[in-house]
Amino acid sequence: SIILPGTLNVQTIQGRRGSFNVAKLATSIGVFDVKNPVLMKFAPGEYGGNFVIEHIKVKAYEWNGGATSYIDAALDWAELEIFANECGFTPEEAEEAQQPEFNPYPENGIIIPEYAQTIEDVAAMIGHNWEIVQLGEYVLSDRELLGEARNLLREAGYRFQPQNQSWYLQ
């Protein structure tokens, strides 16, 4: 890992699976795309500081008959979460920003989002025997997380149906 000074530009995007935050990290060695649920703790805007880059990947996706590639940086997410709290985004504001629109178990105090944004969300959905599990943008954008989620779902007896991009309990 390396530590670089830079500017993290956080934006909220409205995707097919709801709104989520992404960022671009501008450093002296380049501009990197950043995607992780930790970014939900940030309000949209620019944040300057020293960032710990764990690894850099070239990612690609197909769109509209062509392919696009970009450079993705995996940061030290624990350090980034500490940084989010230091930037004045209070835990209450962070909780409001992460509050899902869909709350299937409010009477038990268990909050599971409509789309699984982390492996923990996938495990919680499996643990509650959800009939349908849909993966969120953060899991879909990371091949390792997507593979891990796929394995968890298959082991739990779920089957993928590509026509509606969902996993169904068998």
Side-chain angles (χ1 to χ4, degrees):
S1 64
I2 59 173
I3 299 173
L4 291 173
T7 303
L8 186 70
N9 185 1
V10 179
Q11 299 175 10
T12 300
I13 295 178
Q14 184 63 36
R16 289 189 314 239
R17 293 165 163 67
S19 62
F20 63 101
N21 284 356
V22 297
K24 291 207 180 280
L25 176 62
T27 69
S28 60
I29 62 170
V31 177
F32 306 98
D33 288 350
V34 179
K35 291 182 185 170
N36 191 281
V38 171
L39 293 173
M40 293 305 289
K41 294 185 179 273
F42 286 89
E46 290 188 359
Y47 301 88
N50 292 319
F51 297 91
V52 180
I53 299 176
E54 293 291 331
H55 59 272
I56 298 170
K57 295 180 184 178
V58 175
K59 292 190 173 184
Y61 62 91
E62 292 183 22
W63 180 74
N64 202 20
T68 300
S69 61
Y70 60 95
I71 300 173
D72 183 74
L75 304 178
D76 183 332
W77 304 120
E79 287 294 321
L80 192 62
E81 190 165 6
I82 292 167
F83 181 65
N85 293 332
E86 291 174 356
C87 288
F89 205 51
T90 67
E92 293 80 25
E93 292 170 325
E95 189 174 313
E96 286 176 20
Q98 289 183 354
Q99 187 70 19
E101 295 175 17
F102 179 68
N103 188 355
Y105 298 104
E107 68 278 358
N108 296 338
I110 300 168
I111 298 173
I112 301 175
E114 183 176 5
Y115 298 99
Q117 297 292 0
T118 66
I119 291 301
E120 292 79 14
D121 290 346
V122 173
M125 290 173 172
I126 291 170
H128 285 91
N129 293 321
W130 276 32
E131 296 283 324
I132 302 169
V133 174
Q134 294 179 313
L135 302 177
E137 299 294 339
Y138 295 116
V139 173
L140 292 173
S141 69
D142 188 317
R143 285 186 185 266
E144 291 175 23
L145 287 177
L146 181 58
E148 193 176 333
R150 182 194 66 227
N151 292 341
L152 280 174
L153 289 160
R154 284 183 178 165
E155 288 171 9
Y158 285 82
R159 187 170 151 215
F160 184 68
Q161 291 192 352
Q163 54 271 44
N164 50 9
Q165 299 292 301
S166 301
W167 290 84
Y168 289 85
L169 186 59
Q170 297 294 311

